[in-house]
Amino acid sequence: MTSCVNTTAGPGESGEWQRALRAQFPILTGHPDLAYLDSAATAQKPQAVLDAVQTYLTTTNANAGRGTYPWANRTTSLVEETRDRVRRFLRDPDPERSAVHFTSGTTEGLRTIARDWLPGFLVDGDEIVVPVADHQANIEPWLETQRQLARQGTHVRVLPMPYQQASGDYDHTVLARLAGPRTRFVAVTHVHHVYGGDMNIPRIREAVGPDAVICLDAAQSIGHLPVSLAGLDVDFVAFSGHKALALPGSGAVWARQARGPRFVPGGWSGTPHTVGIVSLAAALDWLEAAGTDRIERWTVALASRLTDGLRHLDAYEILGCQTSLAADSPVQRRQGIVTFRHREIGSGDLGFILFSHGFMVRCDQHCQGSAGESSESVRVSLHVYSTVEEIDRLLSVLATLG
Ligand SMILES: Cc1ncc(COP(=O)(O)O)c(C=O)c1O
């Protein structure tokens, strides 16, 4: 069982580095009175991404895969180069074999796997593990596949993923007992969108054995921490570009193509979202130059600061892991998402109060599956542009409501 440790990390000497990066986000520098703390919903865009989009639209815009004139050829190349960019960003150990398919985001990515690949992989009597307290986007598609197969006479059993109540982490020990030779597909999330925990994917692989397909919802990890496929042993990764500093409507599925049939998204998908794809390449360049390891240290340190501050305020209950976690801790780590409730003020009301002080946070059930929280909460989610000052100011406003 994973446990929680209490350490207070401080951003320390990274302040200069972070200030230089934050200065590259025009929406933030243009609104110094506001604190954007909702990056798990969508992230803000650096100037380099805005410039890449403008340059593309003013110099090269054409359709991809159609036409033989230079703008069309260049657009086709940009799309193909971005597939390779995604592979490199993910440290794909076998890029010759893998596929990268562009989507509008994680939801469409997971749906595409569920619709176009999973039915051809499962046979009667197989089991699939569904993370029932994760984001709806990582639950519904798998249940739909189960229903679709049942209509055709193929019966697949859904094993609800076990969780540890205190931390919101998966219960790897119980999962290892549940999973057997018929457990062939396991849907998991890399970083939980409510509890903020890194869900320890290597332990999922240990629990389910070497043959099961693992499909990773990386919506909250891509761009927030180094994601290296070499160390993960997963078969699919789906993520949203817009949460990783690219434009809305961009995203991708990476498919390893090592277990089961080839991943061939079906149907004619029409003109690709070329501008989104261009923005994704620019965002991945920006993130890599900034250093995802440094981004992780920064946001984990801020989340620790917020968690530790909240623990001293009796009026608040923190969801998931109760204490902050050091980036170098051997146990489950809280990433840059902290979710809490006031014991008396409703979360919706708290959201209004916080916005009156300039804080933009999310206050609802965060699209969590029905096995998750039964009431609303306030979620603070961070990215590299979030500041110590924002966290300290938020804590002092929260303290006045105690
Ligand atoms: C863990 C997780 N999965 C999936 C999604 C869905 O992402 P999108 O709306 O970009 O498809 C989200 C969005 O918040 C998420 O946090």
Side-chain angles (χ1 to χ4, degrees):
M1 179 152 160
T2 55
S3 60
C4 301
V5 292
N6 177 22
T7 50
T8 305
E13 78 290 348
S14 296
E16 290 280 306
W17 165 82
Q18 192 270 347
R19 272 191 291 280
L21 295 182
R22 179 180 163 91
Q24 297 175 37
F25 289 78
I27 198 170
L28 302 178
T29 53
H31 297 91
D33 46 332
L34 294 175
Y36 184 75
L37 298 174
D38 196 17
S39 292
T42 199
Q44 300 302 346
K45 321 303 175 201
Q47 189 64 49
V49 168
L50 306 178
D51 287 347
V53 167
Q54 167 132 9
T55 301
Y56 170 74
L57 286 174
T58 54
T59 63
T60 319
N61 182 43
N63 211 321
R66 307 148 171 84
T68 50
Y69 51 90
W71 291 357
N73 289 339
R74 182 67 195 129
T75 297
T76 305
S77 305
L78 285 172
V79 171
E80 293 314 313
E81 285 164 16
T82 306
R83 283 189 224 282
D84 288 335
R85 189 71 195 85
V86 169
R87 289 186 180 94
R88 285 201 310 282
F89 190 82
L90 296 176
R91 307 277 182 269
D92 182 346
D94 194 1
E96 299 297 315
R97 185 199 280 219
S98 67
V100 173
H101 170 70
F102 293 113
T103 64
S104 64
T106 310
T107 305
E108 193 200 314
L110 297 173
R111 257 187 207 296
T112 305
I113 300 163
R115 186 193 60 212
D116 296 344
W117 182 85
L118 191 55
F121 175 63
L122 296 173
V123 297
D124 200 49
D126 280 349
E127 298 162 347
I128 61 175
V129 177
V130 176
V132 287
D134 287 10
H135 196 284
Q136 287 282 5
N138 201 13
I139 301 173
E140 268 309 309
W142 319 122
L143 301 182
E144 179 51 32
T145 301
Q146 183 200 33
R147 289 190 291 268
Q148 180 199 327
L149 287 172
R151 287 194 290 275
Q152 297 159 8
T154 300
H155 296 281
V156 166
R157 228 175 112 216
V158 167
L159 306 178
M161 174 69 87
Y163 291 82
Q164 297 174 31
Q165 238 187 338
S167 64
D169 190 17
Y170 299 140
D171 192 326
H172 305 97
T173 312
V174 174
L175 179 63
R177 277 204 300 273
L178 275 181
R182 298 309 301 269
T183 310
R184 299 190 63 226
F185 181 85
V186 182
V188 292
T189 301
H190 202 181
V191 170
H192 199 282
H193 72 295
V194 178
Y195 304 125
D198 179 323
M199 303 302 271
N200 205 339
I201 304 309
R203 289 207 57 199
I204 295 281
R205 172 56 75 199
E206 279 171 35
V208 301
D211 299 326
V213 164
I214 298 182
C215 175
L216 187 67
D217 171 346
Q220 300 298 351
S221 58
I222 298 289
H224 291 266
L225 61 147
V227 177
S228 171
L229 291 169
L232 281 178
D233 193 7
V234 297
D235 300 277
F236 290 100
V237 175
F239 69 96
S240 305
H242 71 95
K243 295 184 200 285
L245 316 185
L247 289 192
S250 65
V253 166
W254 170 90
R256 185 185 197 175
Q257 316 267 44
R259 295 179 178 90
R262 290 184 70 72
F263 174 61
V264 186
W268 173 248
S269 51
T271 299
H273 181 19
T274 45
V275 176
I277 292 168
V278 165
S279 78
L280 181 59
L284 298 184
D285 285 347
W286 193 93
L287 287 163
E288 206 145 76
T292 47
D293 51 342
R294 295 190 81 173
I295 294 174
E296 178 184 26
R297 281 201 295 279
W298 180 261
T299 55
V300 167
L302 293 187
S304 299
R305 197 175 182 99
L306 177 55
T307 313
D308 290 347
L310 279 170
R311 282 178 55 245
H312 292 103
L313 301 176
D314 290 341
Y316 296 90
E317 171 202 6
I318 305 169
L319 305 192
C321 203
Q322 295 301 300
T323 52
S324 54
L325 298 167
D328 57 359
S329 160
V331 299
Q332 182 206 11
R333 287 171 292 157
R334 178 186 283 284
Q335 290 284 334
I337 295 177
V338 180
T339 305
F340 57 90
R341 291 193 193 99
H342 193 285
R343 296 188 200 277
E344 279 157 25
I345 305 173
S347 294
D349 292 343
L350 189 51
F352 280 115
I353 296 170
L354 290 177
F355 185 67
S356 74
H357 292 271
F359 296 104
M360 291 179 269
V361 295
R362 180 149 170 194
C363 304
D364 58 16
Q365 283 178 298
H366 319 292
C367 306
Q368 194 176 11
S370 56
E373 300 297 321
S374 54
S375 63
E376 297 188 341
S377 51
V378 176
R379 181 179 74 183
V380 170
S381 52
L382 309 164
H383 214 309
V384 63
Y385 41 72
S386 308
T387 66
V388 177
E389 188 270 335
E390 286 171 337
I391 298 299
D392 289 351
R393 209 155 45 81
L394 176 67
L395 279 168
S396 56
V397 170
L398 292 171
T400 64
L401 304 171

